[in-house]
Amino acid sequence: MPIDATQPYDPGNIFAKILRGEIPCREVYRDDWALAFHDINPQAPLHILVIPTGPYVSWADFSANASAEEIAGFVRAVGDVARQQGLVEPGYRLLANIGQHGHQEVPHLHVHIFGGRQLGAMLPR
Protein backbone atom coordinates (compact mmCIF):
# COMPACT_ATOMS: atom_id res chain seq x y z
CA MET A 1 0.00 0.00 0.00
CA PRO A 2 1.47 3.39 -0.96
CA ILE A 3 2.61 5.55 1.93
CA ASP A 4 2.33 9.24 2.79
CA ALA A 5 5.70 10.87 1.98
CA THR A 6 5.28 13.30 4.87
CA GLN A 7 4.72 10.72 7.61
CA PRO A 8 7.25 10.47 10.46
CA TYR A 9 10.15 8.09 9.91
CA ASP A 10 9.41 4.54 11.06
CA PRO A 11 12.62 2.86 12.33
CA GLY A 12 10.86 -0.52 11.98
CA ASN A 13 10.65 -0.35 8.17
CA ILE A 14 12.36 -3.10 6.18
CA PHE A 15 15.17 -0.86 4.87
CA ALA A 16 16.00 0.35 8.38
CA LYS A 17 16.25 -3.31 9.41
CA ILE A 18 18.54 -4.02 6.45
CA LEU A 19 20.75 -1.06 7.41
CA ARG A 20 21.03 -2.43 10.97
CA GLY A 21 21.90 -5.91 9.68
CA GLU A 22 18.71 -7.47 11.04
CA ILE A 23 17.65 -8.60 7.55
CA PRO A 24 20.23 -9.82 5.01
CA CYS A 25 20.65 -8.34 1.56
CA ARG A 26 22.81 -8.93 -1.51
CA GLU A 27 24.97 -5.87 -0.93
CA VAL A 28 26.86 -4.29 -3.84
CA TYR A 29 27.97 -1.00 -2.24
CA ARG A 30 28.23 0.63 1.18
CA ASP A 31 29.78 3.82 2.47
CA ASP A 32 28.97 6.41 5.13
CA TRP A 33 26.08 7.82 3.07
CA ALA A 34 24.45 4.92 1.26
CA LEU A 35 23.83 1.21 0.99
CA ALA A 36 23.07 -0.47 -2.34
CA PHE A 37 21.73 -3.98 -2.80
CA HIS A 38 19.90 -6.17 -5.31
CA ASP A 39 16.11 -5.92 -5.27
CA ILE A 40 14.47 -9.17 -4.11
CA ASN A 41 11.82 -8.83 -6.85
CA PRO A 42 13.80 -7.54 -9.86
CA GLN A 43 11.92 -5.75 -12.61
CA ALA A 44 14.91 -5.75 -15.02
CA PRO A 45 17.97 -7.99 -15.49
CA LEU A 46 19.79 -5.62 -13.13
CA HIS A 47 17.68 -3.98 -10.41
CA ILE A 48 19.53 -2.39 -7.51
CA LEU A 49 18.15 -0.27 -4.68
CA VAL A 50 20.23 2.54 -3.21
CA ILE A 51 19.18 3.87 0.19
CA PRO A 52 20.66 6.63 2.33
CA THR A 53 22.03 5.55 5.69
CA GLY A 54 20.08 8.35 7.41
CA PRO A 55 16.42 8.14 8.47
CA TYR A 56 14.61 9.81 5.58
CA VAL A 57 11.10 8.85 4.49
CA SER A 58 11.19 10.23 0.95
CA TRP A 59 13.00 12.44 -1.53
CA ALA A 60 10.92 15.35 -0.19
CA ASP A 61 12.10 14.65 3.38
CA PHE A 62 15.72 14.05 2.31
CA SER A 63 16.02 17.15 0.13
CA ALA A 64 14.52 19.36 2.85
CA ASN A 65 16.26 17.91 5.91
CA ALA A 66 19.52 16.14 5.00
CA SER A 67 22.82 17.99 5.26
CA ALA A 68 24.62 19.06 2.10
CA GLU A 69 27.23 16.39 2.88
CA GLU A 70 24.56 13.66 3.11
CA ILE A 71 22.94 14.76 -0.14
CA ALA A 72 26.24 14.89 -2.02
CA GLY A 73 27.34 11.54 -0.61
CA PHE A 74 24.08 9.83 -1.53
CA VAL A 75 23.95 11.23 -5.07
CA ARG A 76 27.59 10.24 -5.61
CA ALA A 77 26.84 6.75 -4.31
CA VAL A 78 24.05 6.31 -6.88
CA GLY A 79 26.49 7.29 -9.64
CA ASP A 80 29.23 5.05 -8.22
CA VAL A 81 26.90 2.05 -8.21
CA ALA A 82 25.85 2.64 -11.83
CA ARG A 83 29.51 2.90 -12.89
CA GLN A 84 30.57 -0.16 -10.89
CA GLN A 85 27.77 -2.20 -12.47
CA GLY A 86 28.86 -1.16 -16.00
CA LEU A 87 25.61 0.66 -16.75
CA VAL A 88 26.80 4.04 -18.02
CA GLU A 89 26.85 2.59 -21.52
CA PRO A 90 24.44 1.37 -22.88
CA GLY A 91 22.41 3.24 -20.24
CA TYR A 92 20.12 2.76 -17.28
CA ARG A 93 17.12 4.23 -15.51
CA LEU A 94 16.79 5.79 -12.05
CA LEU A 95 13.43 5.79 -10.30
CA ALA A 96 12.38 7.14 -6.92
CA ASN A 97 8.74 6.66 -5.96
CA ILE A 98 7.49 9.40 -3.64
CA GLY A 99 4.21 9.29 -1.76
CA GLN A 100 0.86 7.83 -2.65
CA HIS A 101 0.63 8.97 -6.28
CA GLY A 102 4.21 7.84 -6.85
CA HIS A 103 3.30 4.45 -5.32
CA GLN A 104 6.03 4.53 -2.64
CA GLU A 105 5.70 1.31 -0.64
CA VAL A 106 8.58 1.51 1.87
CA PRO A 107 8.82 4.61 4.08
CA HIS A 108 12.59 4.99 3.61
CA LEU A 109 13.98 6.94 0.65
CA HIS A 110 15.26 4.59 -2.02
CA VAL A 111 16.35 4.94 -5.61
CA HIS A 112 15.90 2.06 -8.03
CA ILE A 113 18.61 1.52 -10.65
CA PHE A 114 17.35 -0.53 -13.61
CA GLY A 115 19.57 -1.83 -16.41
CA GLY A 116 20.60 -4.76 -18.52
CA ARG A 117 18.04 -4.37 -21.31
CA GLN A 118 16.12 -1.80 -23.36
CA LEU A 119 13.69 -0.31 -20.85
CA GLY A 120 11.14 1.23 -23.20
CA ALA A 121 8.95 4.25 -22.57
CA MET A 122 9.13 6.05 -19.21
CA LEU A 123 5.47 5.77 -18.32
CA PRO A 124 2.71 3.55 -19.66
CA ARG A 125 0.12 5.44 -21.67
Side-chain angles (χ1 to χ4, degrees):
M1 172 151 188
I3 60 115
D4 176 351
T6 62
Q7 72 185 45
Y9 186 78
D10 172 11
N13 77 72
I14 190 168
F15 293 164
K17 291 177 180 180
I18 289 171
L19 280 168
R20 291 191 301 265
E22 297 169 10
I23 296 175
C25 69
R26 289 180 42 219
E27 183 177 311
V28 297
Y29 180 95
R30 183 187 290 261
D31 67 13
D32 290 341
W33 313 115
L35 170 65
F37 52 93
H38 290 276
D39 193 289
I40 62 169
N41 185 26
Q43 304 299 303
L46 187 66
H47 184 173
I48 294 173
L49 299 174
V50 186
I51 63 175
T53 56
Y56 299 101
V57 173
S58 65
W59 195 264
D61 179 22
F62 183 70
S63 64
N65 298 309
S67 69
E69 190 175 34
E70 287 175 296
I71 293 169
F74 180 70
V75 171
R76 284 191 181 104
V78 172
D80 286 348
V81 170
R83 284 187 293 281
Q84 288 176 5
Q85 296 296 315
L87 294 173
V88 174
E89 273 304 317
Y92 59 99
R93 178 168 295 154
L94 299 177
L95 173 70
N97 299 314
I98 296 99
Q100 293 179 5
H101 282 197
H103 203 70
Q104 182 179 357
E105 294 180 351
V106 177
H108 187 109
L109 170 62
H110 54 288
V111 172
H112 299 258
I113 300 176
F114 300 103
R117 69 169 167 81
Q118 176 57 252
L119 296 169
M122 277 192 7
L123 297 172
R125 298 198 185 262

